Amino acid sequence: MHMKGVLLYNISADKLKKIRVILLRLGLQGRVVTEEEFALPVGQLAGVEGLSPAETPQEGSEEAFREEMLVMCDLPSPVFSAFLNALRQNRCQVALKAVLTETNAGWSSARLHRELAAEHEAIQKAAKSVHRQ
């Protein structure tokens, strides 16, 4: 059984306090992931059984990252929406957000960050090109 909650990466102390209040109100867990844990499978951090570092393909050195990132784990749809709305209402902007999936559960946090950052950048470029037209 894995957590119903959110993995938290590089969140500033002030923002972390606000997010913890939101999580508490929604009855969710929050887990701060440390830089030392960035090489572990995201699913393992969320408590998914059967994942171990040995099963994760070695991707070379797992680089640290500084950007804030949230990974939402097993949130029912209404709770997912309530969490995102509460983030907006409390002005807790976090650009990089993901949902734990079967695919990314085996990825390291560093790999998930790379994928999200690339996707975020592509979306930003697309938005800028639309605004220029």
Side-chain angles (χ1 to χ4, degrees), residues 63-113:
E63 70 276 4
F65 56 91
R66 297 280 167 245
E67 292 87 1
E68 295 175 329
M69 183 170 81
L70 300 176
V71 179
M72 293 157 281
C73 309
D74 203 25
L75 303 187
S77 186
V79 177
F80 176 81
S81 296
F83 177 68
L84 293 179
N85 286 334
L87 287 178
R88 267 191 298 279
Q89 290 168 354
N90 288 280
R91 292 181 172 83
C92 289
Q93 281 300 105
V94 177
L96 302 180
K97 292 184 277 303
V99 173
L100 183 68
T101 65
E102 281 186 33
T103 302
N104 66 24
W107 294 357
S108 68
S109 297
R111 176 172 177 197
L112 179 57
H113 170 262

Side-chain angles (χ1 to χ4, degrees), residues 5 10 19 35 40-41 64 86:
N10 302 320
I19 292 174
E35 193 173 314
L40 297 174

Side-chain angles (χ1 to χ4, degrees), residues 3-131:
M3 73 183 275
K4 283 189 189 299
V6 181
L7 298 175
L8 306 149
Y9 296 83
N10 302 320
I11 307 296
S12 67
D14 186 46
K15 193 181 289 187
L16 184 60
K17 251 189 258 183
K18 290 179 183 178
I19 292 174
R20 285 186 191 267
V21 169
I22 294 167
L23 292 171
L24 188 62
R25 269 191 304 200
L26 294 172
L28 300 172
Q29 295 176 299
R31 183 182 187 297
V32 174
V33 180
T34 64
E35 193 173 314
E36 294 76 39
E37 297 173 307
F38 286 5
L40 297 174
V42 176
Q44 183 181 353
L45 296 170
V48 175
E49 294 181 14
L51 289 174
S52 68
E55 294 171 1
T56 305
Q58 294 303 313
E59 302 169 22
S61 67
E62 290 299 335
E63 70 276 4
F65 56 91
R66 297 280 167 245
E67 292 87 1
E68 295 175 329
M69 183 170 81
L70 300 176
V71 179
M72 293 157 281
C73 309
D74 203 25
L75 303 187
S77 186
V79 177
F80 176 81
S81 296
F83 177 68
L84 293 179
N85 286 334
L87 287 178
R88 267 191 298 279
Q89 290 168 354
N90 288 280
R91 292 181 172 83
C92 289
Q93 281 300 105
V94 177
L96 302 180
K97 292 184 277 303
V99 173
L100 183 68
T101 65
E102 281 186 33
T103 302
N104 66 24
W107 294 357
S108 68
S109 297
R111 176 172 177 197
L112 179 57
H113 170 262
R114 281 194 306 273
E115 298 284 338
L116 283 178
E119 189 176 289
H120 182 70
E121 189 176 319
I123 290 169
Q124 295 299 318
K125 283 182 183 172
K128 284 179 185 169
S129 71
V130 166
H131 290 325

